[in-house]
């Protein structure tokens, strides 16, 4: 089941892990510790299959290529392409081996969007606006964020595209996901937020075709109109908001804040790959970025990573109740004032996680049995580069 199920069909308890620079190593360590604790509590075997490459953040790219003696723009382009090619192959290898889930720390956005275009990714988040249920589906597979750059002296030309095929895939996923999210009801409407005036009417035609074919209400609006309606009226219940990334990248954080889902530093989200080779493999990430300024300081906020580990444990390794257990433990930490400096506390990342792991409890149920965690398997294909 693409994104909606609780168990994996192939390598049911193997979780992929991809690590970027900046605070990536620290975030990955938090993820492995929390996932390992859930495996211990639930008596399940979980193997972490880690990519052998550490992927660049934007800051590390600048340091390597734009500093003294670096290769400048050409080197940025080359390293970005190498990272994208490697990460794409890692994700494909996980899917080919039967893997259904990957956790990834933050990496350079241009690298990510090359992969997202190739693997036809969407980002999905369910929100609750005072009882009005909203499903946000970000189209990451097409538009300005994707595409290729052509450089001439003093100029960059960015070539992007939209297609009926990808638009249809995104809408079909959104409809299917909404029916999973609201069983027996499904969506009341699909609202598309795109700069469709720039596309000569093509997006309107594709949306109308989809609406007729599936018998669902699909409305296409300019992003500023969607903003005005959300501010003036709030979302109507069971609205699926399918949005181009040019708008959604900014508004995702605003929606999280406005509709009570919390700060972006404490939120995780998931990307679903719609390419047929991946069959809906899910990639979890924190909403916050690589935070290179905090690298090595043991100060990165671990809350979003804890939530990601709990979601992976519950949905992909059979640890039913893990999400609720994590929220209960996080609530205890808040009551006790245990937090990192960005939340007004005085604790390190390690101290927060240590306290959380000591607080974490499995919900009542069958007793756990001992678990064995195996070493991460190597990537099958040869690896080179930084």
């Amino acid at each position: 089941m693409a994104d909606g199920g609780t168990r994996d069909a192939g390598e049911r308890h193997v979780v992929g892990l991809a690590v970027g620079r900046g605070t990536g190593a620290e975030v990955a360590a938090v993820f492995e510790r929390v996932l390992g604790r859930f495996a211990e509590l639930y008596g399940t075997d979980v193997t972490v299959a880690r990519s052998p490459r550490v992927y660049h953040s934007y800051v590390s790219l600048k340091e390597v290529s734009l500093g003294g003696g670096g290769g400048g723009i050409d080197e940025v382009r080359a390293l970005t392409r190498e990272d994208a090619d490697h990460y794409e192959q890692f994700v494909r290898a996980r899917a080919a081996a039967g893997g259904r889930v990957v956790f990834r720390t933050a990496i350079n956005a241009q690298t990510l969007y090359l992969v997202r275009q190739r693997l036809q990714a969407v980002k999905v988040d369910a929100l609750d606006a005072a009882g009005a249920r909203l499903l946000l589906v970000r189209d990451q597979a097409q538009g300005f964020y994707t595409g290729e750059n052509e450089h001439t002296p003093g100029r960059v030309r960015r070539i992007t595209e939209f297609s009926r095929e990808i638009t249809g895939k995104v809408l079909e996923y959104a409809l299917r996901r909404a029916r999973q999210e609201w069983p027996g009801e499904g969506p009341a409407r699909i609202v598309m937020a795109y700069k469709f005036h720039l596309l000569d009417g093509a997006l309107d035609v594709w949306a109308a075709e989809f609406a007729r074919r599936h018998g669902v209400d699909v409305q296409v609006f300019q992003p500023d109109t969607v903003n005005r309606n959300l501010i003036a009226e709030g979302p109507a219940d069971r609205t699926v908001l399918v949005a181009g990334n040019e708008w959604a990248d900014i508004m995702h954080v605003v929606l999280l804040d406005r509709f009570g889902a919390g700060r972006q530093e404490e939120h995780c989200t998931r990307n679903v790959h719609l390419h047929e080779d991946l069959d809906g493999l899910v990639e979890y990430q924190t909403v916050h970025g690589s935070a290179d300024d905090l690298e090595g300081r043991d100060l990165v906020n671990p809350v979003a990573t804890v939530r990601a580990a709990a979601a992976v444990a519950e949905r992909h390794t059979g640890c039913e109740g893990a999400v609720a257990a994590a929220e209960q433990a996080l609530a205890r930490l808040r009551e006790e004032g245990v937090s990192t400096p960005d939340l007004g506390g005085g604790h390190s990342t390690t101290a927060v996680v240590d306290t959380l792991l000591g607080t974490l409890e499995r919900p009542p149920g069958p007793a756990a049995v001992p678990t064995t965690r195996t070493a991460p398997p190597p990537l099958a294909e040869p690896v080179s580069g930084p």
Side-chain angles (χ1 to χ4, degrees):
M1 181 180 297
D3 191 40
T6 58
R7 301 271 182 117
D8 287 337
E11 289 185 337
R12 189 160 48 183
H13 301 312
V14 178
V15 175
L17 175 62
V19 182
R21 303 197 185 192
T23 57
E26 296 162 74
V27 168
V30 172
F31 178 80
E32 291 193 273
R33 291 187 68 195
V34 176
L35 185 64
R37 178 59 177 154
F38 276 119
E40 182 181 6
L41 288 171
Y42 283 81
T44 184
D45 294 338
V46 178
T47 298
V48 174
R50 182 189 285 249
S51 171
R53 186 181 183 97
V54 178
Y55 303 97
H56 277 286
S57 67
Y58 184 69
V59 171
S60 72
L61 273 177
K62 289 200 301 182
E63 291 174 347
V64 168
S65 58
L66 300 182
I73 292 171
D74 288 341
E75 188 169 4
V76 170
R77 295 179 70 190
L79 291 173
T80 297
R81 178 73 62 178
E82 289 174 13
D83 273 355
D85 291 346
H86 191 282
Y87 185 55
E88 178 189 359
Q89 290 308 310
F90 173 72
V91 175
R92 285 182 175 275
R94 298 303 320 130
R100 306 300 305 125
V101 62
V102 169
F103 175 74
R104 175 190 51 73
T105 75
I107 64 178
N108 178 40
Q110 187 175 359
T111 300
L112 282 179
Y113 279 103
L114 285 170
V115 177
R116 287 167 173 169
Q117 179 181 18
R118 297 169 187 174
L119 301 183
Q120 301 167 3
V122 295
K123 182 173 289 185
V124 59
D125 223 329
L127 303 170
D128 189 332
R133 294 163 290 177
L134 175 67
L135 185 68
L136 174 63
V137 178
R138 288 173 53 174
D139 178 357
Q140 301 179 118
Q142 54 186 354
F144 177 77
Y145 278 39
T146 60
E148 301 283 348
N149 294 333
E150 290 184 355
H151 289 263
T152 55
R155 294 191 181 192
V156 180
R157 181 170 181 251
R158 189 156 181 83
I159 302 171
T160 66
E161 68 175 34
F162 290 84
S163 74
R164 178 190 282 110
E165 176 193 3
I166 299 302
T167 301
K169 278 192 174 185
V170 172
L171 288 170
E172 285 168 5
Y173 170 79
L175 181 58
R176 183 170 67 252
R177 186 68 185 85
R179 288 170 174 166
Q180 293 173 350
E181 190 72 25
W182 307 313
E185 298 177 292
R189 67 200 55 77
I190 296 176
V191 173
M192 299 181 67
Y194 286 80
K195 290 297 290 183
F196 64 92
H197 286 173
L198 303 177
L199 303 177
D200 301 324
L203 196 67
D204 307 74
V205 172
W206 302 338
E209 291 173 350
F210 181 88
R212 286 194 300 270
R213 189 164 63 251
H214 292 275
V216 62
D217 180 18
V218 181
Q219 305 166 5
V220 185
F221 291 106
Q222 291 282 7
D224 60 334
T225 303
V226 176
N227 290 349
R228 183 190 64 208
N229 292 344
L230 286 172
I231 292 169
E233 305 165 8
D237 189 33
R238 291 185 291 119
T239 293
V240 179
L241 182 53
V242 177
N245 237 340
E246 294 78 6
W247 176 82
D249 188 35
I250 298 169
M251 288 303 297
H252 191 175
V253 174
V254 175
L255 292 170
L256 289 174
D257 178 72
R258 188 174 181 86
F259 299 137
R263 297 159 49 102
Q264 69 168 337
E265 291 84 3
E266 299 181 307
H267 193 70
C268 70
T269 190
R270 52 192 162 175
N271 307 282
V272 182
H273 298 91
L274 305 182
H275 194 288
E276 55 272 14
D277 290 349
L278 275 74
D279 190 28
L281 181 141
V282 182
E283 174 200 76
Y284 285 81
Q285 65 170 97
T286 61
V287 176
H288 66 73
S290 55
D292 295 72
D293 58 317
L294 298 179
E295 181 180 0
R297 298 173 61 189
D298 199 21
L299 293 177
V300 64
N301 186 336
V303 173
T305 308
V306 169
R307 287 176 166 150
V312 170
E314 178 160 329
R315 295 169 182 159
H316 299 278
T317 71
C319 299
E320 186 175 352
V323 171
E327 291 303 322
Q328 290 171 5
L330 289 170
R332 291 194 192 101
L333 265 59
R334 287 193 295 272
E335 292 171 0
E336 297 169 6
V338 178
S339 64
T340 45
D342 63 300
L343 295 179
H347 297 79
S348 67
T349 305
T350 301
V352 172
V353 176
D354 285 346
T355 305
L356 179 130
L357 294 181
T359 304
L360 198 61
E361 297 177 353
R362 177 181 174 175
V369 296
T371 181
T372 302
R373 300 192 66 213
T374 58
L379 194 66
E381 69 269 15
V383 177
S384 60

